[in-house]
Amino acid sequence: MAKLDELQDIVVQTRRDILRMVHKVNSGHPGGSLGCTEFLVALYNEVMDLKEGFDMDGKDEDLFFLSNGHISPVFYSVLARKGYFPVEELNTFRLLDSRLQGHPTTHEGLPGVRVASGSLGQGMSVAIGAAAAKKLNGDDKLVYSLHGDGELQEGQNWEAIMYAAGNKVDNLISTIDRNGQQIDGPTEEVLPLGNLKEKFEVFGWDVLEVAEGNNLEAVINGLKEAKSRTGKGKPVCIILDTMMGNGVDFMMHTHAWHGKAPSDEQLENALGQNPETLGDY
């Protein structure tokens, strides 16, 4: 239980990092970042098999690909708190010549970032390619990816989803952040996605649902269950039900905070709901 408490401290501090980064430059995407905080904290600190240091080859370790790259604030915070680069570098988010651009890119050489992302719909293809390469190389480690639900409105995803099942890419775990919101409104109003579980199953995937996507223990259990289903001939999909803006009451239950920074007063309010745990950068 102490371990869970330690992870929860990282979750709260990560929320603070997200809010402070976006506020400082009056730019960024806090809503989806806050909604995926528990997932990324659990993934990097409890679930993935990682080596010390970082190299782009990623041999003999689990890999992660962020497809919905606009939620870079949560990704950068989790990487920094994990030790990939100095936490103080979060101060440079979205500044000119920073390695922490609005969407993660590789040419800045930021440790932990394996692919440029943010042009939505491409991450599934990249993750499948990496997973297939691991199989060809006799590498038994896994590939994880994260995707927005609105992102699934891009057709390339479904070609990739079909390919993964048809080629038995069973060392892949792709998580769908099912928060029901996208930049223009609720996903069911912009373009309904229907029953994602049934869709993935019809395409040949093994699917599990995590109904409490902002409950740290539930997320950890879901990821470990997904891991136990790999290697059985099917790629694995997690439908993760999250709340956009989770942890900040006035950012929840709306798409309004998809890509908007809080004011000074709003920041103070939001930070008051997430007291400092590990120390601000």
Side-chain angles (χ1 to χ4, degrees):
M1 202 60 185
K3 178 66 172 176
L4 193 62
D5 290 342
E6 292 170 11
L7 293 174
Q8 190 60 49
D9 284 346
I10 301 174
V11 167
V12 175
Q13 191 63 51
T14 298
R15 288 197 199 116
R16 289 181 65 88
D17 292 345
I18 293 164
L19 294 162
R20 294 178 68 237
M21 276 189 280
V22 172
H23 169 265
K24 178 181 177 180
V25 293
N26 195 32
S27 179
H29 296 78
S33 294
L34 291 167
C36 287
T37 300
E38 288 83 1
F39 171 79
L40 280 166
V41 167
L43 189 67
Y44 270 88
N45 294 278
E46 183 66 18
V47 177
M48 282 205 300
D49 186 359
L50 299 168
K51 296 187 300 189
E52 289 293 322
F54 176 78
D55 63 72
M56 288 297 284
D57 289 337
K59 294 178 179 177
D60 301 315
E61 65 175 330
D62 291 344
L63 304 180
F64 170 72
F65 294 95
L66 177 67
S67 186
N68 47 335
H70 56 279
I71 66 167
S72 62
V74 64
F75 190 33
Y76 293 149
S77 174
V78 168
L79 289 176
R81 298 286 173 182
K82 185 65 177 173
Y84 280 87
F85 56 87
V87 173
E88 293 75 20
E89 195 169 351
L90 297 177
N91 263 313
T92 71
F93 176 66
R94 278 186 177 249
L95 297 181
L96 291 174
D97 299 322
S98 170
R99 298 196 296 177
L100 279 62
Q101 289 301 306
H103 291 173
T105 62
T106 54
H107 68 272
E108 283 92 354
L110 186 67
V113 176
R114 299 187 178 280
V115 64
S117 59
S119 182
L120 295 177
Q122 299 178 4
M124 182 72 73
S125 299
V126 174
I128 291 168
K134 279 193 177 294
K135 280 180 165 290
L136 289 170
N137 292 332
D139 184 337
D140 65 356
K141 301 303 181 184
L142 301 175
V143 174
Y144 295 84
S145 62
L146 178 64
H147 313 262
D149 50 359
E151 182 180 3
L152 294 183
Q153 294 162 354
E154 294 278 1
Q156 180 177 334
N157 287 292
W158 298 100
E159 294 180 57
I161 290 163
M162 181 168 56
Y163 178 93
N167 288 273
K168 296 181 171 56
V169 184
D170 58 1
N171 56 339
L172 172 67
I173 299 174
S174 293
T175 297
I176 310 302
D177 174 24
R178 189 70 157 118
N179 62 27
Q181 306 289 341
Q182 59 191 94
I183 191 168
D184 291 324
T187 55
E188 293 309 294
E189 292 181 12
V190 177
L191 183 62
L193 293 166
N195 190 320
L196 287 181
K197 185 174 189 292
E198 288 184 359
K199 279 185 168 68
F200 272 89
E201 286 176 339
V202 167
F203 271 72
W205 287 53
D206 186 8
V207 186
L208 64 148
E209 296 177 288
V210 177
E212 296 180 89
N214 295 118
N215 178 310
L216 188 57
E217 189 169 15
V219 172
I220 292 170
N221 290 339
L223 282 164
K224 290 183 175 179
E225 170 63 21
K227 193 171 184 177
S228 74
R229 298 190 188 188
T230 59
K232 299 179 181 179
K234 292 185 176 183
V236 179
C237 174
I238 301 173
I239 308 295
L240 186 73
D241 291 332
T242 69
M243 176 66 67
M244 180 175 278
N246 183 64
V248 179
D249 56 10
F250 62 85
M251 291 186 176
M252 298 166 67
H253 306 287
T254 174
H255 71 282
W257 292 92
H258 172 92
K260 183 173 72 171
S263 66
D264 293 349
E265 182 179 351
Q266 288 168 331
L267 176 67
E268 184 178 358
N269 182 351
L271 293 180
Q273 298 175 47
N274 293 277
E276 190 175 350
T277 57
L278 303 180
D280 289 334
Y281 57 85

